Amino acid sequence: MKARLLIIIFLLPFLAHSQDTLINSSSSWKYYDKGQLPSTTWNSTSYSDLTWSTGTAPLGYGITGTATTVSYGTSSTNKYVTTYFRKSITITNPLSSYSSVFLNVKRDDGVIVYVNGIERYRSNMPTGTISYSTFSTTCASDNGSIWQSVELSNSYFTNGSNVIAVEVHQCNLTSSDLFFTAQLIGS
């Protein structure tokens, strides 16, 4: 009896803090690297990304460790400013399953993350309205090697299908690299 009680006492902290990886850092993402805005509704749940390319994260170019190389266009001195990424995930009862959801992103240079069409996180980007041609605030000195983390409300997610949409912006037209990967963890 004492042994069972000790096991339960030992396991209780682990059971109380269980986590589910909803998106891992080597997940497959849809991406749009065509040098233009795909659509004004590209980040919505109803948008069809069937014509987008698919690749395994990390995605980008010019950085060691990139699993999928995306295009920057035909000129190394006039690269695309923005590349778009989308991922659909299924979450069962997010309000009762998770008290918190943590988003971790590695980005070079700037990033904006949308959950089900609504902006929920912005890093190294100016405030206000952003367009395809908006540069990041600065060139990321970490080259996407450091996780940027934010806690998201479980209320941002719906029961069933959810869309995570991400736009990665360069700091200038000659930037030598782009990098993106993300994790989503329910706790």
Side-chain angles (χ1 to χ4, degrees):
M1 183 65 173
K2 281 186 176 183
R4 284 187 187 164
L5 183 59
L6 286 175
I7 290 172
I8 291 172
I9 291 172
F10 175 75
L11 291 177
L12 192 57
F14 295 102
L15 296 173
H17 297 287
S18 67
Q19 295 183 338
D20 291 329
T21 301
L22 305 169
I23 298 175
N24 69 50
S25 60
S26 60
S27 289
S28 176
W29 287 79
K30 301 287 259 175
Y31 65 92
Y32 187 85
D33 59 352
K34 306 296 183 205
Q36 60 188 356
L37 180 68
S39 165
T40 56
T41 61
W42 74 273
N43 57 7
S44 73
T45 56
S46 60
Y47 177 79
S48 175
D49 56 20
L50 292 176
T51 61
W52 287 30
S53 301
T54 302
T56 302
L59 301 105
Y61 56 81
I63 295 180
T64 303
T66 301
T68 300
T69 301
V70 300
S71 176
Y72 58 73
T74 59
S75 172
S76 63
T77 59
N78 190 24
K79 295 179 180 171
Y80 299 153
V81 175
T82 307
T83 304
Y84 298 90
F85 303 91
R86 285 174 54 93
K87 181 158 190 65
S88 294
I89 59 171
T90 300
I91 303 176
T92 304
N93 299 320
L95 293 176
S96 60
S97 297
Y98 307 113
S99 59
S100 299
V101 179
F102 296 93
L103 171 70
N104 302 312
V105 177
K106 289 184 178 181
R107 71 351 178 211
D108 186 320
D109 289 299
V111 68
I112 300 176
V113 179
Y114 304 85
V115 177
N116 296 325
I118 299 172
E119 182 182 330
R120 298 301 186 183
Y121 179 67
R122 185 182 290 214
S123 172
N124 201 28
M125 291 297 294
T127 58
T129 303
I130 301 295
S131 73
Y132 169 77
S133 60
T134 303
F135 291 114
S136 63
T137 307
T138 63
C139 294
S141 60
D142 69 344
N143 283 333
S145 64
I146 297 175
W147 287 107
Q148 311 298 315
S149 300
V150 64
E151 183 176 357
L152 304 175
S153 171
N154 60 359
S155 67
Y156 296 168
F157 301 90
T158 62
N159 184 36
S161 182
N162 292 266
V163 173
I164 310 303
V166 179
E167 53 187 277
V168 176
H169 292 252
Q170 293 291 61
C171 63
N172 59 51
L173 295 176
T174 60
S175 179
S176 62
D177 49 21
L178 181 145
F179 193 83
F180 166 70
T181 189
Q183 297 174 326
L184 192 66
I185 299 169
S187 177

